[in-house]
Structures are given as C-alpha cells and as structure tokens.
C-alpha cells in the first residue's frame, strides 16, 4: 500500500478513524487495493499518520465488520475478496458509499461544489 494512500485531516469535523475507514473502503471498492494485499499493521499506520493505535484499530474493526478486510494472526491484515455478484440496490448502502466518498473528498480538501461536480461527471460517464 502506498504510504500516502491514506491521509488524515486533523482539522476536519470527520473523526480520524472514520477518515481512515472511508479512504481504505474506497481504495478497496474501487480496486486500488486488491484481494490479498497486505495492509500496514495498526501500529505502523498509526505511526505513519501520527495517531494513536486505537484510532487505527477502530477503523480496521469497522472494515472487518463490513467484510472488506480480514486479520489473521501471523498473516496480518489483508484485503478480503469482494462479492462476485453485486447485491440488489440498497438505499442504505448507497448512503454509506456517498458518505464515504464525501469524507474522502473532504480529506483531500475538496469543497461541496467540487464534490458534487465530481459525482455528476462520474454519473454522466456511466450513462
């Protein structure tokens, strides 16, 4: 994983663990992190980001609960396999994805208009 793949904005209203969770989820769901790819240890990522290990552990627990990563003693934390078949449309999941995207975009410094423009362009490209 690229050392700069995850960034945390300590001035953001979004809690650091949520920024980490959202960014890693986006990297996994978009295929930038692939199945079996090893993530940094909790301590390593915490040190890299200048955060407490508990903050990173909380993000990893949320990602495990979402079945995006798996942790095994001796094997570390790795990206889990994504479902082969997309699930039916779930408005709650769409809300979560939108919140994750907005959180990641804010962490990059994007304002509301830039975020909405990016979403519109992405939707138009898919049409």
């Amino acid at each position: 994983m690229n050392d700069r793949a995850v960034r945390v904005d300590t001035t953001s209203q979004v809690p650091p663990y949520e920024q980490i969770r959202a960014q890693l989820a986006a990297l996994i769901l978009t295929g930038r992190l692939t199945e079996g790819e090893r993530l940094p240890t909790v301590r390593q990522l915490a040190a890299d980001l200048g955060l407490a290990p508990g903050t990173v552990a909380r993000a990893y627990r949320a990602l495990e609960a979402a079945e995006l990563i798996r942790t095994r003693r001796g094997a570390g934390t790795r990206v889990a396999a994504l479902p082969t078949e997309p699930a039916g449309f779930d408005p709650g999941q769409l809300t979560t994805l939108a919140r994750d995207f907005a959180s990641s975009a804010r962490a990059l410094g994007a304002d509301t208009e830039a975020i909405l423009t990016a979403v519109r362009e992405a939707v138009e490209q898919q049409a």
Side-chain angles (χ1 to χ4, degrees):
M1 185 174 98
N2 181 333
D3 292 341
R4 289 285 150 218
V6 176
R7 295 185 181 97
V8 173
D9 178 4
T10 56
T11 63
S12 173
Q13 292 183 349
V14 178
Y17 81 89
E18 176 59 23
Q19 291 179 50
I20 296 166
R21 188 208 58 77
Q23 290 175 54
L24 287 175
L27 291 170
I28 293 166
L29 294 170
T30 60
R32 289 189 53 208
L33 290 176
T34 58
E35 178 184 350
E37 191 167 343
R38 191 173 191 157
L39 298 180
T41 65
V42 166
R43 288 184 183 179
Q44 183 61 56
L45 187 55
D48 291 348
L49 297 174
L51 299 170
T55 301
V56 175
R58 185 173 180 185
Y60 276 21
R61 282 192 305 271
L63 290 165
E64 281 189 283
E67 299 181 355
L68 294 175
I69 64 172
R70 64 183 184 281
T71 301
R72 293 207 174 104
R73 177 173 268 154
T77 300
R78 297 186 182 267
V79 176
L82 294 177
T84 55
E85 293 184 23
F89 176 71
D90 177 1
Q93 187 176 19
L94 181 61
T95 299
T96 298
L97 289 170
R99 186 176 46 242
D100 291 349
F101 173 73
S103 176
S104 295
R106 292 258 190 239
L108 293 173
D111 63 10
T112 301
E113 192 55 40
I115 294 169
L116 293 173
T117 298
V119 169
R120 278 189 208 99
E121 289 175 1
V123 169
E124 289 171 5
Q125 288 176 1
Q126 297 294 316

